[in-house]
């Protein structure tokens, strides 16, 4: 197997309240992607294969990094968090938070209701999402050469859930911790991929760039 470096997209439209409105990078998101690409080139990181989801924020991030043409795969797309949240509100009376801090308790509720099939009309089941994520990453790992995969925080959290046997509460905390354009590496150890890097943002570590260490 080859190692995989998962990358969360740059900051998207933080004022959005639906999937379509959210799906574009902010000005800072474009800058984060460019800084990450510069860092990888300066570090001499060798990734002959680049993949991304088909969402606009994935494509814009991969393009802004300028590290090679990305193969687009819709299996690397994010879960539809806004849609799931709306269903949770309509069916269980749990409103969507209006402030960032509210998502700390809201996200675990969304994950639990989704996994337990308590959201009628969900765009896909939790099981289907987890399966497509696992299938896509396994296929990428089985090819030759290190790979970069530009995707979203929810998908990265589910990948960590699989490879670390996390429960849903821990998975939600992982998802909330993931920063924009952070790197997460899965390395083959024995017959399995194991996380050896989580939430790394070396391109944003200098004092003048720490303002760009964003979660939303």
């Amino acid at each position: 197997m080859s190692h995989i470096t998962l990358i969360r997209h740059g900051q998207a439209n933080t004022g959005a309240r639906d999937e379509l409105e959210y799906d574009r990078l902010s000005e800072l998101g474009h800058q984060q992607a460019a800084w990450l690409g510069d860092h990888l080139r300066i570090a001499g990181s060798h990734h002959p294969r680049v993949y991304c989801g088909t969402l606009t924020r994935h494509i814009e991030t991969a393009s802004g990094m300028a590290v090679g043409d990305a193969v687009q795969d819709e299996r690397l797309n994010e879960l539809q968090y806004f849609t799931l949240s709306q269903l949770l509100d309509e069916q269980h009376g749990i409103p969507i938070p209006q402030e960032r801090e509210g998502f700390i308790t809201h996200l675990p509720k969304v994950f639990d209701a989704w996994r337990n099939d308590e959201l009628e009309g969900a765009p896909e089941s939790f099981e289907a999402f987890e399966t497509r994520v696992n299938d896509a990453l396994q296929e990428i790992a089985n090819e030759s050469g290190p790979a970069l995969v530009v995707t979203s925080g929810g998908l990265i959290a589910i990948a960590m859930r699989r490879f670390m046997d996390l429960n849903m509460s821990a998975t939600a905390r992982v998802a909330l911790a993931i920063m924009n354009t952070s790197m997460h590496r899965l390395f083959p150890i024995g017959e399995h991929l194991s996380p050896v890097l989580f939430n790394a943002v070396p391109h944003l570590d200098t004092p003048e760039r720490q303002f760009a260490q964003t979660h939303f």
Side-chain angles (χ1 to χ4, degrees):
M1 288 188 290
S2 300
H3 80 249
I4 298 172
T5 301
L6 300 168
I7 295 171
R8 187 189 176 194
H9 60 79
Q11 184 191 62
N13 179 17
T14 57
R17 284 297 177 266
D18 61 47
E19 307 293 343
L20 184 61
E21 189 180 358
Y22 180 70
D23 193 26
R24 63 179 186 272
L25 293 190
S26 67
E27 182 177 350
L28 178 58
H30 285 287
Q31 181 62 77
Q32 290 167 330
W35 280 335
L36 176 56
D38 289 342
H39 168 78
L40 292 172
R41 282 186 289 276
I42 291 171
S45 296
H46 178 62
H47 295 93
R49 298 182 295 137
V50 182
Y51 300 84
C52 71
T54 61
L55 298 176
T56 299
R57 59 189 183 273
H58 298 160
I59 297 168
E60 288 181 340
T61 300
S63 176
M65 290 167 57
V67 290
D69 294 332
V71 175
Q72 298 178 23
D73 187 337
E74 64 182 6
R75 294 176 302 173
L76 299 172
N77 287 352
E78 177 66 300
L79 58 96
Q80 294 189 34
Y81 182 76
F82 288 104
T83 302
L84 295 172
S85 296
Q86 185 176 1
L87 293 174
L88 187 68
D89 186 7
E90 294 171 352
Q91 298 173 20
H92 300 279
I94 300 175
I96 302 172
Q98 299 301 310
E99 297 180 355
R100 170 185 161 183
E101 289 70 20
F103 287 96
I104 295 172
T105 57
H106 187 259
L107 181 61
K109 294 175 183 177
V110 173
F111 274 17
D112 279 334
W114 186 31
R115 181 191 58 172
N116 295 330
D117 292 325
E118 296 171 352
L119 299 177
E120 184 177 350
E124 66 179 329
S125 68
F126 178 83
E127 182 180 2
F129 177 70
E130 194 169 41
T131 297
R132 70 169 164 90
V133 170
N134 291 341
D135 288 349
L137 294 182
Q138 195 61 58
E139 285 182 22
I140 292 170
N142 287 340
E143 297 294 331
S144 178
L148 292 177
V149 175
V150 179
T151 182
S152 292
L155 187 146
I156 294 169
I158 292 300
M160 294 297 168
R161 166 183 162 83
R162 177 194 175 189
F163 296 116
M164 298 184 71
D165 294 325
L166 301 178
N167 62 29
M168 286 307 296
S169 177
T171 301
R173 292 197 301 274
V174 165
L176 288 165
I178 295 172
M179 289 185 281
N180 295 114
T181 60
S182 55
M183 296 185 287
H184 314 255
R185 184 160 297 135
L186 302 172
F187 197 85
I189 298 177
E191 297 180 355
H192 304 281
L193 290 170
S194 297
V196 296
L197 184 71
F198 177 76
N199 219 21
V201 286
H203 56 299
L204 304 178
D205 271 347
T206 57
E208 65 272 16
R209 292 185 184 177
Q210 289 179 2
F211 77 94
Q213 295 181 5
T214 58
H215 295 85
F216 297 99

